[in-house]
Amino acid sequence: MITLLKNGRIYDPAHGKDGVNADIYIRDGRIVAKPAVSEKIDQSFDLSGKVVMAGAIDMHSHIGGGKVNIARMMLPEYQQKYQQQQAQELKGLSEPEAHICTPHCSHHATPSTTDTGFRYIEMGYTAAFEPAISPVNARQAHLEMGDTPMIDKGGYAMLGNDDYFLRMLADKKDQKAINDYVAWILHATQAIGIKVVNPGGINAFKFNQRRLNLDENNVHYQVSPREILQSLSRAVHDLGIAKPLHVHCNNLGAAGNFETTLDTMSASSGLPMHLTHIQFHSYGTEGDKKFSSAAAQIAEALNKNKHITADVGQILFGQTVTASGDAMMQHLNAKHANPKKSVIMDIECDAGCGVLPFKYRDQNYVNALQWAIGLELFLSVEDPWRILLTTDHPNGAPFTSYPHLIRLLMDKTFRNEAFAKLNLDAQAMSNLTSLEREYSLYEIAIMTRAGAGKLIGLHDRGHLGIGAAADITVYTDQADREAMFAKPDYVFKNGELVVKNGIVVKVVWGVTHTAKPAFDIGVEKNLKNYFDRYQTMQLDNFKISNDEISSDGRGQVVTHHNNKE
């Protein structure tokens, strides 16, 4: 079967197409060259004047794992209200429509697995990546992602605070041994990348340390965050993993933490590194309130250090739930929870978990300045290939707010009007209105499609070239960019029409993207001894097989072998 999308305005930065009028042909779920004249076109869509992009990719969104489920349970008062609305919306529907989650099936901050898939695809997103899979909890994360329809998934396995790795560093194990362990973790957890959260800090919190700077030792292992970052960056590079080490820096949310962030950029010794939700790591100490924007310093450093990429983690105003593996900083922030409740817990002595609800307010000095800092970063980093669009869902804002964020980036008048409503003291501490930049559709396509796909190593996603998966989103060009990006005309997933006029018309299941570099299986000898002595499960039960992910037609595992593909 051949599908023709004709006369669309193509925005495909991976191939330098900036609003080029062109046709796209689809066969067997892939984009193909123009068929021979003798071949029949089975269906055709006239996209004259429409904006055509690859399906969007969210490279950092908390969609699976234990802490997400805790977050889903944190605000039952919201949950009950929305479930009542859902019951009204589903009244009278028969199967198969009755299983479809409506926009109100869970509160907006942390939607259910089903709702997550529907809300993403309705905005034109065809893939999302869970950025913090605790290896010991990876099976739960994959079960949740496997229950998320419509979109492709993948995740980054957390290392750098686990006892086994820290023992290796303390014992001065060579880089080859560390590389084998990192590769084994990727296989065992079915992840596509490696994440480190507050390097060494989550573990140090368990020994009653309340802060950990880049060159400060964990008191138990006598290992510093810098050593952790250097060894993991080297391992990711040596193994040929496309996705650079995904780094949640030390001292998240702390005034003055921009200096730690700048130091972290040098910790990879020139190897690629990705700094995540960098807005939360761009704070200075100037002014009467000792809290200020350091976005200019961070943006300048990003512009100079071409081996560093970042996503922003933009905050937007309203109720959300913060969910993080950074138990150290979540414990510190628990006093700011709104409503006043929190969960701070340990996970098998190998990771942490902190979940607390939070309400960002535009009249709160700190919140208002956080909002401005994120936008300052977006507008000051010169290369859109190296600054990606995220809200650190749900920590800065729910992913459903992306269309609003895109409008803030593309419409200076709209942005300035929003800025004028902020806390006045925060306005005085920001240079946002002096930034004239407005993002173009081409740059938005980079940040949300081509750049994200390239960074993760999804060689057949994020672009519209021959051979790419036919994940395609079609929009009507509108002056109101929020309305435009909130409701696409069409979304195709693997060549199938799944969304029409912003409404799901067919339920499909995406694949799970993984990376499986080669390693010495001999690493399991020491690991088995360790598991037998310290862990609560057997080594073989720790590992997740392909069959556990790919079942009932869902979650086919796609392996990206190295960054040379």
Side-chain angles (χ1 to χ4, degrees):
M1 177 174 174
I2 300 175
T3 299
L4 168 61
L5 309 182
K6 62 181 181 180
N7 302 325
R9 280 171 44 211
I10 309 297
Y11 290 85
D12 182 17
H15 297 94
K17 294 182 178 180
D18 185 2
V20 176
N21 289 320
D23 298 337
I24 295 175
Y25 295 88
I26 302 169
R27 175 188 285 162
D28 298 328
R30 297 274 166 179
I31 296 173
V32 297
K34 183 177 180 178
V37 175
S38 59
E39 294 190 81
K40 176 187 175 184
I41 303 298
D42 297 280
Q43 60 178 343
S44 178
F45 295 81
D46 187 352
L47 306 182
S48 297
K50 305 287 187 184
V51 171
V52 182
M53 297 182 181
I57 300 167
D58 193 344
M59 51 78 62
H60 184 110
S61 179
H62 296 280
I63 58 172
K67 64 183 177 297
V68 181
N69 268 342
I70 296 171
R72 287 170 177 144
M73 295 185 289
M74 286 297 283
L75 295 175
E77 57 270 40
Y78 285 82
Q79 195 84 7
Q80 183 178 12
K81 179 180 73 172
Y82 285 112
Q83 284 175 342
Q84 290 171 349
Q85 294 179 14
Q86 180 201 19
Q88 289 297 317
E89 293 179 12
L90 291 179
K91 188 177 294 183
L93 288 180
S94 59
E95 291 292 346
E97 291 84 3
H99 75 285
I100 294 178
C101 200
T102 75
H104 301 299
C105 94
S106 61
H107 74 80
H108 73 285
T110 47
S112 68
T113 53
T114 302
D115 202 24
T116 294
F118 275 71
R119 300 294 82 80
Y120 263 122
I121 202 76
E122 286 168 352
M123 297 191 306
Y125 275 76
T126 53
F129 288 79
E130 163 57 52
I133 294 179
S134 175
V136 76
N137 195 40
R139 185 169 279 101
Q140 170 68 22
H142 281 292
L143 285 170
E144 290 181 43
M145 290 191 291
D147 199 45
T148 303
M150 312 306 296
I151 60 173
D152 291 355
K153 284 82 62 174
Y156 316 141
M158 289 196 297
L159 290 178
N161 284 284
D162 57 300
D163 178 63
Y164 189 84
F165 175 75
L166 292 173
R167 285 171 182 256
M168 292 181 77
L169 286 188
D171 293 340
K172 308 299 182 185
K173 297 292 186 182
D174 63 26
Q175 188 65 47
K176 174 63 167 60
I178 290 171
N179 293 356
D180 285 334
Y181 175 58
V182 169
W184 182 85
I185 284 288
L186 283 169
H187 281 254
T189 62
Q190 297 275 8
I192 195 171
I194 296 295
K195 166 81 170 292
V196 57
V197 175
N198 189 354
I202 299 173
N203 185 283
F205 181 66
K206 301 170 189 184
F207 296 96
N208 209 33
Q209 288 177 267
R210 291 296 182 260
R211 293 286 181 89
L212 193 67
N213 292 316
L214 195 65
D215 293 301
E216 181 180 359
N217 280 346
N218 178 304
V219 295
H220 181 74
Y221 300 91
Q222 292 300 304
V223 170
S224 72
R226 186 182 296 273
E227 293 175 84
I228 292 168
L229 291 170
Q230 288 176 335
S231 61
L232 289 177
S233 291
R234 173 55 62 183
V236 167
H237 179 268
D238 290 352
L239 292 168
I241 301 167
K243 173 72 184 67
L245 181 65
H246 200 79
V247 179
H248 163 138
C249 298
N250 302 86
N251 298 326
L252 175 143
N257 64 8
F258 81 98
E259 294 181 346
T260 300
T261 306
L262 294 175
D263 289 341
T264 300
M265 292 186 190
S266 67
S268 70
S269 302
L271 297 177
M273 178 186 285
H274 181 84
L275 303 185
T276 192
H277 42 64
I278 200 167
Q279 177 275 136
F280 289 106
H281 305 272
S282 301
Y283 304 153
T285 56
E286 297 176 2
D288 295 339
K289 300 181 186 297
K290 304 302 180 186
F291 183 87
S292 61
S293 171
Q297 295 94 315
I298 296 297
E300 181 182 13
L302 282 170
N303 289 333
K304 289 181 179 178
N305 291 282
K306 306 300 184 184
H307 64 293
I308 303 292
T309 55
D311 63 86
V312 171
Q314 178 69 35
I315 77 117
L316 295 165
F317 302 117
Q319 182 70 55
T320 192
V321 179
T322 65
S324 174
D326 196 345
M328 175 187 276
M329 301 313 293
Q330 288 291 75
H331 177 266
L332 181 67
N333 291 327
K335 60 182 176 287
H336 301 299
N338 185 355
K340 291 291 184 183
K341 47 181 142 178
S342 63
V343 172
I344 309 293
M345 62 184 290
D346 177 76
I347 302 175
E348 295 289 334
C349 297
D350 271 348
C353 176
V355 182
L356 53 103
F358 196 86
K359 190 169 187 177
Y360 292 103
R361 295 171 295 158
D362 60 3
Q363 295 309 306
N364 176 280
Y365 170 79
V366 171
N367 297 166
L369 197 52
Q370 288 176 301
W371 178 90
I373 289 168
L375 294 174
E376 289 171 11
L377 287 164
F378 272 121
L379 300 169
S380 301
V381 175
E382 296 165 356
D383 185 358
W385 289 92
R386 295 196 298 112
I387 188 79
L388 302 176
L389 188 143
T390 66
T391 59
D392 188 22
H393 166 80
N395 293 300
F399 67 82
T400 49
S401 61
Y402 286 166
H404 178 73
L405 175 54
I406 289 172
R407 185 178 181 189
L408 288 169
L409 296 176
M410 297 189 73
D411 186 339
K412 183 179 188 298
T413 300
F414 179 71
R415 183 169 69 234
N416 286 350
E417 289 171 352
F419 181 82
K421 299 174 184 177
L422 298 183
N423 173 283
L424 293 177
D425 290 335
Q427 289 187 45
M429 293 295 289
S430 172
N431 71 340
L432 184 61
T433 55
S434 69
L435 299 175
E436 299 292 333
R437 183 177 180 183
E438 292 180 314
Y439 271 77
S440 66
L441 286 170
Y442 187 77
E443 290 174 316
I444 293 297
I446 293 172
M447 296 173 68
T448 60
R449 274 91 170 163
K454 179 182 178 182
L455 182 75
I456 300 169
L458 307 178
H459 304 284
D460 62 348
R461 303 300 199 276
H463 67 89
L464 299 173
I466 303 301
D471 291 355
I472 302 168
T473 304
V474 179
Y475 303 99
T476 294
D477 197 353
Q478 301 181 54
D480 182 342
R481 298 305 193 186
E482 183 171 353
M484 172 181 170
F485 281 95
K487 189 176 180 180
D489 295 73
Y490 304 109
V491 181
F492 297 85
K493 184 76 182 91
N494 293 321
E496 292 189 86
L497 178 63
V498 295
V499 171
K500 185 175 181 179
N501 296 325
I503 303 297
V504 174
V505 295
K506 183 174 183 179
V507 178
V508 297
W509 298 93
V511 302
T512 298
H513 296 277
T514 68
K516 295 179 180 176
F519 67 97
D520 183 352
I521 194 64
V523 70
E524 289 198 351
K525 180 179 180 181
N526 288 335
L527 277 165
K528 187 177 187 309
N529 293 335
Y530 178 84
F531 269 71
D532 290 345
R533 183 172 182 181
Y534 297 110
Q535 284 285 19
T536 58
M537 67 174 74
Q538 295 182 359
L539 180 69
D540 286 343
N541 292 336
F542 187 90
K543 298 184 287 186
I544 303 170
S545 69
N546 285 2
D547 290 342
E548 291 182 76
I549 296 176
S550 182
S551 61
D552 299 324
R554 307 184 187 184
Q556 175 190 354
V557 175
V558 175
T559 300
H560 302 265
H561 294 284
N562 56 56
N563 60 12
K564 305 282 195 302
E565 289 183 12

